[in-house]
Amino acid sequence: MAGNVRRAAVFLAVCLAAQVATAIQDGLLPNGNFEQAPPKSQLNGTRVMGRYAIPHWEISGYVEYIGSGQKQGDMLLPVPEGAWAVRLGNNASIQQRIQVMRGAAYSITFSAARTCAQAEQLNVTVAPESDILPIQTVYTSSGWDSYSWAFEAKSSVVSFVVHKPGVSEDPACGPLIDLFAIKTLPAPKSTKNNMLKNGDFEDGPYIFRDTKWGVLVPPMDEDDYSPLHPWMVMSSTKSVKYVDAPHHVVPRGARAVELVSGMETALVQDVATVPGRAYRLEFSAGDAGDGCAGAMAVQAYAGPGSVRVPYQSKGKGGHTRGVLDFTANANETRVVFVSMSYNMKGDGSLCGPVVDDVSLVCTTRKHGARRLLL
């Protein structure tokens, strides 16, 4: 009897904790790696039965608690970090209430892996913002990819929700998810030497220290807040990859963008310009030193101009500089980067050229010489 009372008290405490907003800090969300297990009394095999059974999370639908090395038929289910992950089945969702600063911008990073259908999707929401993230394309040899998503906080407490839409014949069929982290995004600013904001890509989503595959920035609507703000990813289903210096060769600083989806994805930023004025766009293009070898090419567009920068990669790092001079023909100019090549590593995973250290300045001629307008 006393044991039953203690178990009931513990479960009640877990339920109450799940409903209390957690003070925000950059890094792993509370139990963001799911290593704090639900009580065994709340498990039916692998299925989690209680709405608040997973500490710090609230669930609905068909949710499973999966251990590393567990099998699904002949397929081994790995976990990217630690021993446990969660699988979202039919109409399943998992959410956490987070205390944030109203009006501030945040990015969420998490890892996901397909286990069944080819065209898996995840609906990520912090009201009123919501997006469908396509996860059918696998960018790593392990099957696990890290994804990022961003939002502007409309209130001081928000509910972050990940939902697997749709119903399949097997109610357990759905993606594995793990490793949820959050990062505060600073307001991007231009400088006197660069009209573009975040041109060095130093401000972006959280990258886990022990993951070597970077973070995907998925396609988004133009009115969404980007994890690489104010850069946007324009595509139907494909992503770009945000990479870091500890695991990749970065042309400058600590972060860069790898264009891993060829001509199916564009990296875009809009900037105010003056029609009739001359401008110069400069950037670095190369490889991330991740074994991505072969012929590469980055095409840059700005206003009416474009330039293609070829790069022959040995997969060991290195870069070259691209320059585009153009005259603006509108009050706003869209700067666009596209990989003109499709590249693949020896293990079959997608890769591509790295773009970094992007700058845009206004130029004019005076006394026969070109000078910068700062």
Side-chain angles (χ1 to χ4, degrees), residues 266-350:
L267 183 65
V268 174
Q269 184 176 154
D270 294 326
V271 61
T273 51
V274 177
R277 283 195 177 180
Y279 295 85
R280 170 168 287 190
L281 175 70
E282 295 189 50
F283 60 96
S284 293
D287 76 273
D290 55 1
C292 189
M296 298 179 176
V298 173
Q299 188 89 16
Y301 300 87
S306 68
V307 64
R308 180 175 296 197
V309 178
Y311 182 81
Q312 188 65 37
S313 171
K314 296 181 179 180
K316 298 179 180 180
H319 67 275
T320 186
R321 291 291 286 174
V323 178
L324 172 61
D325 290 308
F326 67 97
T327 300
N329 56 4
N331 292 323
E332 186 175 74
T333 294
R334 172 159 287 188
V335 175
V336 181
F337 292 99
V338 178
S339 170
M340 304 304 290
S341 59
Y342 288 89
N343 301 91
M344 191 175 291
K345 300 179 189 177
D347 60 11
S349 59
L350 299 176

Side-chain angles (χ1 to χ4, degrees), residues 64-79:
E64 292 182 280
Y65 192 62
I66 302 295
S68 181
Q70 187 170 318
K71 283 190 173 183
Q72 175 183 294
D74 294 330
M75 183 174 68
L76 195 67
L77 300 179
V79 172

Side-chain angles (χ1 to χ4, degrees), residues 197-218:
K197 299 175 181 178
N198 198 19
D200 54 7
F201 304 109
E202 294 302 289
D203 295 324
Y206 190 89
I207 298 180
F208 292 102
R209 181 181 302 175
D210 297 327
T211 56
K212 300 179 180 179
W213 52 75
V215 176
L216 295 173
V217 182

Side-chain angles (χ1 to χ4, degrees), residues 125-131 149 151-155 158:
T125 302
V126 170
E129 298 179 38
S130 183
D131 285 289
W149 184 77
F151 66 94
E152 285 187 293
K154 305 301 183 184
S155 61
V158 300

Side-chain angles (χ1 to χ4, degrees), residues 233-246:
V233 178
M234 311 303 289
S235 179
S236 56
T237 61
K238 298 297 193 293
S239 303
V240 301
K241 183 173 288 189
Y242 190 54
V243 297
D244 62 341

